Amino acid sequence: MEELRAKLEVLRVCTDATSADASSAHQALLKAVVAEQPDTTTTADTGSSSSAAEKVAAGLGAELKQALSEGATLDGRAKIAEVVAELAKDEAARGILGEAGLPAACVETLKLAAAAHHTPARIQAFRAIGNLCFDHDANRTRMLEAGGAAALVQALRSTAEMADAAAEAAHNTSGTGTGSSAVSAARTGAGALLNAATDHEETQKMLMESGAIESLVWLLRHAGSAAERDAAFHALQRFTGHDAALKAMAEQGGVRALVTRLMEVEDGSCAETVLMLRAFAETDAMLPSFAGDNIPRDLVHLTTQIDTRPSAASSAALLISIMLSDDTCRKALLGADEGHSHSQSQLTSKQGKETLAMLVQWLQDSHDGLQMAIAGALSIGNLVRDDATAEQIGAHEGVLARLVQLLAKDVSDTQHASLGALKNLCNCVANKTRVLHLAAPPIGPCLLQAMNTSHQPIQYMAASISRSLCLQQTAADVNALAATPELVERLCKLSSSEEPRVQAEAGRALVNFVRFGKSSPPVLQRIVDAGGLASFVGLCKTPHALLHVEGLVGLVLVATAESSRFCPAVRAAHADVQAISMLTEEPGSPEIKCNALSLLAALGTASAAANNHAENTALLEAVRALQAKPNLHPMVLQQAALVLKSVPQQPK
């Protein structure tokens, strides 16, 4: 160890770090460390142990700090910092060096090197700081306490500018070149930031406040080498969990830089870039940043490369589908004609028509995974803003049929995307009719297949579309849908789901089959046989008044159909008990009370006709109690009187 101390002293006091003595001392120190491990600023270290490194750190830690802090020239400090960087590859040595004060000493060296534009010292200080901070919270804290956040950022910013200037100078003189030493410094600086930031939230915030995001985005956009851009990208990844960081990246042109990266990287290596772009796209406030810098144009171009770059192409299509939910991006993608209303201009402009044709083409795509088809369905769903747009898209040949066809694919992403598009398109009455009249494929079996999935969001949307398709359609079309084998039975099953939204939507679909199918006896019989009347009663128990009305209306229609032959089944579902309880609810809307009274009247009349007067005792008592309440709505009083008049009293 004494020999190594002597070698270190040579580096500390020498005035010419390139001398034979200095070079010999430097090599001896490096050899003692056994530096055969990857640098953690560019390659993640597994923390493999090195007894030699640990012994050197324990024996020379204080002297290394002193050598970096006192006297040595920047050339000498560069060599000493390299020794520290090599030692810090070892996990045990990392802690020893931290306790000896090396993080602060390396920060000070970095400041001096940056101020003097000394590239070798800057590179080795970056490396030393990065390796000291790798997977070591205590050293990160020591680095930050020494002002390391600002030092790292300022040094990286000036290094990036030097790299850019070097690249330009090399290009002007020889037509090629990137300024290798400056490039190495920029890459290593970004790696040091990566290790310093890691997953430590407070460290990330300090680096952000010091301007790390701006420097890294600058490097990502302007660096002359792929290695520099890669280092900047991986460092930026650490910050995507912070909205403030995303905002800073967007303001500095980070989205543009990421799209450029997506266009350049190998297809098999684009997943990380896509994930980062989605972090922007899925943050509402960031989405408008996709509208400028020719980003829409480049993403559209990427989608045409589905045969040669399937991952990048489908990812670009997915990003476009998200962009269509934002007004600014929508305008950039669709354009607008002067003199038209907003809704008209979006799809009637030349650019709008071309975009719609592109989305339809995606929808028809059948590449493995159906990723383009999914993006097409999502895009169409986001494109629909009003009935006029919905009808224009629905009238486009093959769109509705393809969306229905995708429901039959046993892939949850595909089903979810196509259901979302159909749900929005079928707010338009004309599209409901088109969908109900599809022969190939028919809508009923495809909805049933979607309902048979175990995914509750898909069950909900399929039940919701079943309900919606009944509105403003002929009874014949509604009954044709309800006649789909097993569809009614599956809705009855879903109406007892543990998920409240699925339960309610399935029940509402069954009610609509009854209401808008004009109480078709075969449909009613299937609902009764499958236990579906319990779902009507269940709607009356939800917290939502609208669902109370729908449930009661369905029960009244069933009770009054077919000469009241379903009344025993309605009573068996305890609908009478539920209706009586709704009469006593306060305040309770007049509409709900009137529908409850209508149900009781139907049940009471049927019981009396069958001479089951005892069944009506509780019913009549509840109606009389209701009449005795003050301040009743006149419509409720009138309906109560009609009940008492129409339901015969039990003979005495």
Side-chain angles (χ1 to χ4, degrees):
M1 196 61 65
E2 289 303 321
E3 182 181 353
L4 292 178
R5 285 195 180 91
K7 299 294 185 184
L8 181 59
E9 181 64 12
V10 170
L11 290 179
R12 187 183 74 81
V13 300
C14 75
T15 56
D16 181 7
T18 62
S19 66
D21 287 345
S23 297
S24 174
H26 178 227
Q27 291 302 317
L29 286 165
L30 291 178
K31 185 177 180 180
V33 174
V34 192
E36 298 296 335
Q37 304 170 62
D39 191 338
T40 60
T41 58
T42 56
T43 306
D45 184 24
T46 58
S48 57
S49 62
S50 170
S51 58
E54 186 176 352
K55 288 177 181 178
V56 172
L60 292 184
E63 286 87 347
L64 285 166
K65 176 185 181 297
Q66 182 181 11
L68 278 178
S69 304
E70 300 175 8
T73 63
L74 281 173
D75 286 335
R77 291 188 191 216
K79 295 183 182 298
I80 296 167
E82 184 179 1
V83 173
V84 174
E86 295 300 326
L87 285 170
K89 291 177 181 178
D90 177 75
E91 183 177 359
R94 219 173 287 152
I96 296 169
L97 294 171
E99 292 173 0
L102 267 301
C106 290
V107 168
E108 184 60 29
T109 296
L110 180 61
K111 291 177 180 177
L112 293 172
H117 301 293
H118 194 286
T119 298
R122 191 182 333 211
I123 290 174
Q124 298 307 330
F126 274 142
R127 288 188 62 231
I129 293 170
N131 288 357
L132 285 166
C133 290
F134 179 76
D135 199 24
H136 204 290
D137 287 342
N139 280 353
R140 288 189 201 101
T141 300
R142 293 172 180 128
M143 179 270 297
L144 293 174
E145 289 174 348
L152 280 170
V153 172
Q154 290 167 8
L156 179 61
R157 183 182 297 122
S158 62
T159 300
E161 292 168 355
M162 286 174 59
D164 189 53
E168 184 177 356
H171 177 74
N172 289 339
T173 56
S174 64
T176 60
T178 58
S180 60
S181 62
V183 168
S184 178
R187 180 173 68 251
T188 311
L193 272 176
L194 173 65
N195 283 356
T198 189
D199 296 321
H200 194 266
E201 188 171 349
E202 290 305 313
T203 305
Q204 291 173 356
K205 287 181 179 178
M206 290 185 70
L207 289 167
M208 286 161 53
E209 290 168 359
S210 299
I213 301 301
E214 291 79 358
S215 296
L216 289 169
V217 172
W218 191 97
L219 193 59
L220 181 64
R221 293 194 69 181
H222 301 291
S225 75
E228 289 173 278
R229 295 192 294 274
D230 285 347
F233 170 76
H234 291 301
L236 283 168
Q237 282 182 297
R238 296 288 193 186
F239 297 91
T240 53
H242 299 274
D243 287 345
L246 291 177
K247 182 180 179 182
M249 290 183 214
E251 290 173 347
Q252 298 298 317
V255 175
R256 172 65 266 179
L258 289 170
V259 170
T260 299
R261 180 179 176 84
L262 181 61
M263 297 173 72
E264 294 174 348
V265 296
E266 293 291 330
D267 199 56
S269 305
C270 70
E272 288 184 320
T273 306
V274 171
L275 193 64
M276 200 162 172
L277 280 166
R278 287 191 64 169
F280 287 93
E282 293 170 0
T283 303
D284 289 346
M286 300 296 104
L287 197 45
S289 60
F290 283 82
D293 288 335
N294 292 318
I295 291 173
R297 180 201 66 188
D298 289 344
L299 289 175
V300 167
H301 176 69
L302 263 178
T303 66
T304 65
Q305 301 177 27
I306 185 63
D307 291 321
T308 56
R309 301 190 63 205
S311 294
S314 59
S315 297
L318 180 62
L319 288 169
I320 288 172
S321 75
I322 300 172
M323 290 165 62
L324 285 167
S325 66
D326 174 77
D327 285 343
T328 305
C329 292
R330 182 186 177 96
K331 185 175 181 180
L333 283 163
L334 301 179
D337 285 339
E338 297 296 330
H340 290 79
S341 70
H342 177 75
S343 60
Q344 286 179 315
S345 65
Q346 296 284 281
L347 290 179
T348 56
S349 68
K350 179 177 181 293
Q351 185 178 342
K353 290 176 180 177
E354 291 172 351
T355 300
L356 178 57
M358 175 184 71
L359 302 184
V360 174
Q361 183 179 358
W362 296 354
L363 198 62
Q364 302 297 337
D365 188 87
S366 57
H367 279 80
D368 289 346
L370 295 172
Q371 293 302 306
M372 294 298 286
I374 290 171
L378 290 171
S379 297
I380 287 171
N382 283 334
L383 201 54
V384 177
R385 296 288 182 88
D386 50 43
D387 283 354
T389 305
E391 184 162 1
Q392 184 177 350
I393 296 173
H396 205 290
E397 184 178 359
V399 168
L400 293 173
R402 177 58 171 167
L403 288 170
V404 172
Q405 184 185 53
L406 290 173
L407 294 183
K409 305 292 183 182
D410 192 20
V411 180
S412 58
D413 288 348
T414 306
Q415 290 176 326
H416 196 279
S418 54
L419 284 167
L422 281 170
K423 191 172 187 295
N424 289 352
L425 287 168
C426 286
N427 286 327
C428 165
V429 175
N431 285 341
K432 295 186 209 291
T433 305
R434 291 184 178 112
V435 167
L436 288 171
H437 289 178
L438 284 173
I443 182 64
C446 295
L447 281 174
L448 177 62
Q449 186 153 345
M451 288 182 204
N452 283 334
T453 181
S454 60
H455 295 278
Q456 291 174 337
I458 293 176
Q459 294 172 348
Y460 165 78
M461 293 177 73
S464 181
I465 291 173
S466 299
R467 174 188 62 79
S468 172
L469 285 172
C470 299
L471 302 175
Q472 297 175 278
Q473 299 301 300
T474 66
D477 284 344
V478 173
N479 288 325
L481 175 62
T484 302
E486 300 182 28
L487 181 62
V488 165
E489 290 73 16
R490 181 56 178 164
L491 285 167
C492 290
K493 179 71 173 177
L494 292 179
S495 69
S496 60
S497 167
E498 294 180 356
E499 166 55 44
R501 294 201 315 154
V502 175
Q503 183 184 104
E505 210 63 16
R508 296 179 75 195
L510 291 169
V511 168
N512 278 6
F513 284 171
V514 174
R515 288 179 67 184
F516 300 104
K518 305 299 183 185
S519 302
S520 164
V523 174
L524 294 182
Q525 189 64 61
R526 288 172 63 195
I527 291 173
V528 170
D529 291 345
L533 294 182
S535 70
F536 293 18
V537 176
L539 291 174
C540 299
K541 295 179 179 180
T542 68
H544 307 291
L546 173 63
L547 301 190
H548 295 177
V549 173
E550 291 187 14
L552 286 168
V553 168
L555 288 165
V556 171
L557 290 172
V558 174
T560 55
E562 289 286 284
S563 302
S564 303
R565 75 180 177 94
F566 296 111
C567 278
V570 175
R571 278 191 183 270
H574 305 295
D576 54 339
V577 176
Q578 180 62 33
I580 288 171
S581 72
M582 297 173 88
L583 293 181
T584 63
E585 289 179 357
E586 296 296 344
S589 76
E591 185 179 12
I592 290 174
K593 291 191 186 306
C594 284
N595 279 302
L597 287 165
S598 295
L599 175 58
L600 293 173
L603 294 174
T605 302
S607 294
N611 291 317
N612 293 328
H613 295 287
E615 291 182 342
N616 291 338
T617 301
L619 181 158
L620 294 169
E621 288 177 357
V623 175
R624 293 190 189 102
L626 177 67
Q627 283 183 314
K629 291 185 178 182
N631 303 318
L632 276 182
H633 193 283
M635 187 168 60
V636 176
L637 282 171
Q638 182 182 14
Q639 191 67 29
L642 288 173
V643 173
L644 293 177
K645 183 177 179 181
S646 62
V647 179
Q649 308 292 310
Q650 182 173 0
K652 294 183 180 179

